[in-house]
Amino acid sequence: MAEARTEKAPAASAAGNALPLFYMKPEALNPIRHGSLGLIARADFGFARAAHSIPVVASEMPGAMRSYPIVFIGPAKAPVIITGLRQNENLFVDADGRWTEPHYIPAYVRRYPFILADESATSGRLTLCVDRASDRVVDQLAAPFRDDGGKLALFFNGTEPTEATRQALAFCSQFQNDFNATRAMVERIDAHGLFAPRQSKVTLEGGEVLNLTDFQVIDEQALNKLGDEAFLDLRKSGALALIYCHLASSNSWSSLVHQASIRKRA
C-alpha cells in the first residue's frame, strides 16, 4: 500500500478541518494502546446526519445513482452523492440514526469508524486507523461499560488482530483501491475537458425554491463531440461507466425532493 494515495478531506467537511468527513480523532490501531477496545455493532448512522454530500467511488455508482444525484466538487473534482438540499442536512438519516430504506448506503459511510491513513503524514504507508471519537468504540475495561443492545467486537485477541479487525482492514483496503481507481478515471475525464460548472434549482413541496451551487458535472454535449481516439481512451480507462452513471443520476434530484417532502410532513 506504500504507493496508494491517501484521501484528502472532502469539501463536505467543516471549513478548516483537515480530517476526512466524519473523522475527529483517528488513531492507528495498536494492540498495546487499544487492546481492550472494541466496536459496538449497531446500525446507527447518526454520525452522518449532517452530511449533505458524501464521497462515492466508481464501483458503487450503479447502486448509488438510483437514489442520489452524483456530482463533482472541489479542485480535485471529487465525486460525491448529494444527500441533502441544505447545509448540515442529510435527508436519508432519521432522528434515530436509521438510513432510509431501500436507499443505497455508501461505502464511505459503511466503513466508519475505520479508515486507512498515513499515520506520519509523510511516509505514504497506510495503516488501519479507528476514530476514537466514535461512540461505537468502547473500552471493555471502562467503568461503567454498558453494552446497549449491541455486541462488542474486540479489536485484538492479545497481540493478534481479531476477525472483526481483519474484516475492517479488508473493507478499507478495497475502498482505498476503488478510491485510487476512481481518482484516475476522473483525471482522464478532466484531461478531455469534459467537466463544467453547474447549479441546480429545486422546487420543494409548498413552492420553496432552493439553488444548489459550487459543483461540477460532465458536459454531455462535450462528451458527444469527442473524437474516436478520445472516446476510446475513456473506454479503456474504465471511465465511461462512471460517466454514464453520473449522467443517469441526474434523474435522482426528484428523490431528494421526495425525501424533503417526507421530512417536512414528519
Side-chain angles (χ1 to χ4, degrees), residues 122-249:
T122 57
S123 70
R125 297 180 61 183
L126 302 184
T127 303
L128 182 65
C129 301
V130 68
D131 188 1
R132 285 290 279 113
S134 171
D135 60 5
R136 294 174 59 196
V137 178
V138 300
D139 191 333
Q140 67 170 347
L141 301 180
F145 164 63
R146 180 176 64 88
D147 186 340
D148 56 354
K151 183 179 179 182
L152 180 63
L154 292 174
F155 296 143
F156 294 97
N157 181 10
T159 60
E160 294 298 316
T162 61
E163 180 61 24
T165 300
R166 288 193 291 269
Q167 289 181 4
L169 176 60
F171 189 92
C172 289
S173 296
Q174 183 60 57
F175 182 88
Q176 188 67 38
N177 290 338
D178 291 345
F179 175 86
N180 291 337
T182 302
R183 182 75 248 140
M185 294 177 197
V186 168
E187 290 173 354
R188 294 311 306 150
I189 295 169
D190 197 20
H192 292 291
L194 296 183
F195 285 108
R198 196 62 49 87
Q199 63 181 16
S200 181
K201 181 179 292 186
V202 177
T203 303
L204 302 180
E205 187 179 272
E208 182 183 3
V209 177
L210 299 177
N211 290 303
L212 282 75
T213 60
D214 299 327
F215 64 88
Q216 297 191 58
V217 300
I218 293 172
D219 188 330
E220 189 170 6
Q221 289 187 349
L223 173 66
N224 292 333
K225 292 178 181 178
L226 283 180
D228 292 345
E229 185 176 347
F231 193 83
L232 181 61
D233 177 62
L234 290 175
R235 183 177 69 80
K236 287 182 176 180
S237 71
L240 279 184
L242 183 158
I243 290 172
Y244 291 137
C245 284
H246 157 68
L247 294 175
S249 77

Side-chain angles (χ1 to χ4, degrees), residues 237-260:
S237 71
L240 279 184
L242 183 158
I243 290 172
Y244 291 137
C245 284
H246 157 68
L247 294 175
S249 77
S250 63
N251 295 319
S252 292
W253 287 105
S254 59
S255 177
L256 289 180
V257 175
H258 177 68
Q259 287 300 122

